[in-house]
């Protein structure tokens, strides 16, 4: 039971009155009323459709953090009132995240900077000789850390059905030498939005004595993630995808590999004791808890923001939020299906389960040019490029491995075809009107072309100055 002052504080920061504009979406977000200038003149309310990169912060999260800010203090070992309050808040945030993820009693929740940081931490904690299995369809955050840390990595070809993914992993693990093995898989693709067969992949991994880590960066904001029910060993996600600002992330799961590994960072907070030995070296006893990998002063506000977002999503009802998102997704897909020039990218096919993430290309358009026109002429923010999933986008676009491409605009001029795509992504803070505007703008650009001239500047396609 938390102390009385903390109970009072928690009540204070969670009963903020709703705003009049909150009817536009189930969970109102910051920036929902921001106006942006149009290159053709005038202003329009910004339509944020780039949630997969960074979701806007929930108003609830911002209010919670603002209420806590005057009480900010250094955590752990502090004797002062604010330090004790901040410590309790930090550790309660850890418990909130554990409940949100359905963690097992012995699991650890480590606060990190992001999904990328979380998976690099786990890569650093791999036992000696560990083999790692990933599909080429992964985001770079879950594709690259293992090889970077010197692990033996098997990269599996992109499957074309969920069943094929499970079968391919089964075969790869069956033929693998004995020793520690780890499978890393995304929960939902950051390119196609398609949901992967996590439970079945976990079962395949465990049949062969392997462990599995779930990259839930794109899944957790849209869909319930239960570590116990999915039977995954670890899960990683980022706060900035989950409607929380401030650059925090989470790695949650089994404690043994984390406890046995050298600390991710060496420094204060990760140690129990440090003493100078008789031979002049330092004798260090490291923590065995999550603190082992949280050296330095932790990002208390970031951890609390994640916990606040977890509470807000849980209280709003993840199933209800997902149902509404699916309605928006059906409307988006139906609208794009009416445009023969549009090709929606998919790995598993039209019937695959998806979250609110969709990528496409438009015949005759450079994707960066199209995205720039959506922004400059219509006030709609989407993403273009390869989405830090280069091998996957190459597969989806039937491109050669040597084809040039990057996260952002390529060197090709507006109107030329290129190795990039356009991504639309949305979530709990998206009003229906934003989908309507996007479809109308897309139809207009395809029918009439851009109303302005564009060029490539510093790697980005931007409108020419008048």
């Amino acid at each position: 039971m938390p102390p009385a002052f903390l109970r009072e504080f928690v009540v204070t920061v969670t009963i903020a009155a709703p705003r009049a504009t909150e009817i536009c979406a189930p969970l109102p977000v910051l920036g929902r009323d921001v106006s942006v200038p149009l290159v053709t003149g005038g202003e329009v309310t910004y339509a944020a459709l780039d949630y997969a990169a960074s979701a806007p912060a929930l108003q609830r999260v911002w209010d919670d953090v603002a209420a806590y800010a005057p009480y900010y203090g250094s955590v752990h070992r502090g004797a002062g009132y604010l330090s004790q309050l901040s410590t309790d808040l930090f550790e309660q945030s850890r418990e909130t995240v554990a409940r949100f993820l359905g963690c097992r009693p012995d699991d650890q929740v480590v606060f990190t900077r992001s999904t990328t940081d979380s998976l690099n931490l786990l890569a650093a904690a791999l036992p000696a000789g560990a083999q790692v299995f990933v599909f080429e369809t992964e985001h770079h955050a879950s594709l690259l850390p293992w090889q970077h840390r010197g692990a033996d990595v098997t990269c599996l070809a992109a499957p074309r059905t969920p069943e094929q993914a499970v079968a391919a992993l089964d075969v790869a693990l069956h033929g693998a030498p004995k020793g520690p093995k780890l499978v890393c898989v995304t929960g939902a693709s950051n390119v196609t939005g398609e949901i992967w067969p996590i439970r079945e992949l976990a079962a395949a991994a465990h049949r062969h004595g392997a462990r599995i880590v779930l990259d839930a960066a794109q899944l957790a904001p849209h869909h319930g993630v239960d570590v116990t029910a999915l039977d995954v060993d670890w899960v990683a996600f980022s706060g900035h995808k989950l409607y929380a600002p401030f650059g925090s992330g989470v790695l949650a799961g089994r404690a043994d590999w984390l406890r046995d590994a050298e600390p991710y960072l060496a420094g204060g907070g990760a140690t129990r004791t440090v003493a100078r030995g008789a031979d002049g070296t330092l004798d260090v006893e490291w923590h065995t808890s999550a603190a082992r990998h949280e050296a330095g002063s932790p990002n208390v506000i970031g951890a609390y923001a994640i916990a606040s977002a977890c509470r807000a999503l849980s209280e709003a009802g993840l199933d209800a939020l997902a149902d509404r998102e699916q309605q928006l997704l059906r409307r988006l897909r139906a609208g794009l299906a009416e445009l023969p020039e549009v090709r929606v990218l998919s790995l598993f096919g039209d019937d695959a389960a998806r979250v609110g993430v969709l990528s496409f290309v438009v015949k005759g358009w450079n994707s960066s040019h199209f995205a720039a026109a959506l922004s400059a002429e219509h006030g709609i923010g989407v993403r273009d490029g390869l989405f830090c999933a280069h091998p996957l986008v190459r597969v989806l676009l039937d491109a050669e491995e040597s084809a040039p491409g990057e996260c952002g605009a390529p060197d090709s001029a507006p109107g030329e075809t290129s190795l990039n795509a356009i991504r639309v992504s949305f979530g709990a803070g998206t009003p229906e009107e934003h989908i309507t505007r996007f479809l109308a703008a897309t139809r207009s650009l395809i029918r009439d072309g851009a109303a302005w001239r564009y060029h490539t500047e510093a790697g980005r396609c931007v409108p020419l100055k008048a």
Side-chain angles (χ1 to χ4, degrees):
M1 177 68 67
F5 67 82
L6 185 56
R7 289 202 303 273
E8 180 180 353
F9 174 77
V10 171
V11 170
T12 301
V13 301
T14 57
I15 59 173
R19 297 168 181 259
T21 54
E22 288 185 0
I23 58 173
C24 67
L27 288 174
V29 295
L30 295 180
R32 59 190 181 273
D33 299 322
V34 168
S35 293
V36 295
L38 301 181
V39 70
T40 51
E43 292 188 347
V44 68
T45 302
Y46 184 65
L49 294 176
D50 193 18
Y51 278 45
S54 284
L58 292 177
Q59 184 68 54
R60 155 75 177 273
V61 171
W62 193 260
D63 290 345
D64 280 0
V65 168
Y68 162 63
Y71 298 88
Y72 175 80
S74 180
V75 302
H76 300 144
R77 299 173 304 283
Y81 177 90
L82 298 190
S83 179
Q84 292 180 42
L85 185 150
S86 295
T87 298
D88 287 339
L89 202 70
F90 184 66
E91 294 304 330
Q92 285 193 25
S93 296
R94 203 188 303 275
E95 295 171 7
T96 298
V97 171
R99 287 193 298 273
F100 180 76
L101 295 173
C103 288
R104 297 161 291 251
D106 295 333
D107 283 345
Q108 287 187 354
V109 174
V110 182
F111 285 116
T112 65
R113 294 182 302 166
S114 59
T115 306
T116 301
D117 196 34
S118 296
L119 295 173
N120 273 273
L121 190 166
L122 186 59
L126 291 175
Q131 305 162 74
V132 179
F133 297 81
V134 294
F135 289 93
E136 65 175 330
T137 48
E138 293 293 308
H139 184 279
H140 293 172
S142 48
L143 185 66
L144 301 181
W146 323 106
Q147 182 173 305
H148 183 66
R149 289 284 180 171
D152 180 5
V153 178
T154 297
C155 188
L156 305 176
R160 285 300 186 170
T161 66
E163 294 77 15
Q164 193 179 102
V166 177
L169 181 62
D170 229 337
V171 169
L173 291 173
H174 179 73
K178 290 185 178 180
K181 293 179 282 290
L182 177 70
V183 176
C184 180
V185 67
T186 189
S189 171
N190 78 305
V191 179
T192 68
E194 292 165 319
I195 297 176
W196 280 61
I198 306 160
R199 187 179 289 104
E200 292 80 1
L201 289 168
H206 294 152
R207 274 197 302 273
H208 298 283
R211 297 191 179 190
I212 186 168
V213 56
L214 170 64
D215 174 354
Q218 298 297 338
L219 185 64
H222 306 275
H223 193 285
V225 174
D226 190 306
V227 169
T228 303
L230 293 172
D231 198 23
V232 295
D233 298 282
W234 292 277
V235 62
F237 71 87
S238 295
H240 73 101
K241 312 282 191 188
L242 198 76
Y243 308 100
F246 306 121
S248 281
V250 167
L251 176 67
R254 303 205 179 275
D256 54 350
W257 284 10
L258 299 176
R259 185 178 56 241
D260 295 340
E262 288 295 310
Y264 187 47
L265 297 173
T271 60
R272 288 186 184 275
T273 61
V274 180
R276 185 173 182 275
D279 60 354
T281 61
L282 295 175
D283 295 328
V284 183
E285 181 185 357
W286 303 100
H287 279 297
T288 57
S289 65
R292 183 182 188 88
H293 299 290
E294 294 176 342
S297 296
N299 183 355
V300 182
I301 287 182
Y304 183 50
I306 288 179
S308 173
C310 289
R311 285 194 300 271
L313 291 170
S314 297
E315 291 167 9
L318 286 168
D319 289 342
L321 294 174
D323 287 345
R324 179 182 181 275
E325 182 180 299
Q326 289 302 309
Q327 294 175 15
L328 296 180
L329 183 60
R330 285 192 292 271
R331 181 172 181 188
L332 173 64
R333 294 180 66 191
L336 291 178
E338 296 173 354
L339 303 172
E341 299 86 352
V342 170
R343 175 190 168 197
V344 174
L345 304 183
S346 175
L347 194 64
F348 295 155
D350 290 343
D351 296 332
R354 290 170 169 80
V355 299
V357 178
L358 181 148
S359 295
F360 66 97
V361 292
V362 182
K363 185 178 180 180
W365 280 82
N366 175 331
S367 293
S368 294
H369 183 201
F370 200 91
L374 283 173
S375 174
E377 300 175 28
H378 299 275
I380 298 171
V382 297
R383 176 110 348 193
D384 65 276
L386 301 180
F387 318 120
C388 292
H390 294 191
L392 172 56
V393 177
R394 286 190 170 92
V395 168
L396 295 171
L397 294 179
D398 303 313
E400 297 292 333
E401 286 295 324
S402 59
E406 61 183 61
C407 291
D411 291 332
S412 52
E416 294 181 10
T417 58
S418 54
L419 182 61
N420 59 353
I422 305 153
R423 184 180 68 192
V424 183
S425 53
F426 50 91
T430 304
E432 186 176 356
E433 184 264 340
H434 286 185
I435 302 298
T436 302
R437 277 178 55 193
F438 168 78
L439 289 172
T442 298
R443 284 192 292 268
S444 174
L445 287 172
I446 291 174
R447 182 185 66 241
D448 304 323
W452 205 262
R453 293 182 62 197
Y454 296 79
H455 71 133
T456 299
E457 181 179 297
R460 296 297 310 168
C461 187
V462 295
L464 284 167
K465 295 180 181 179

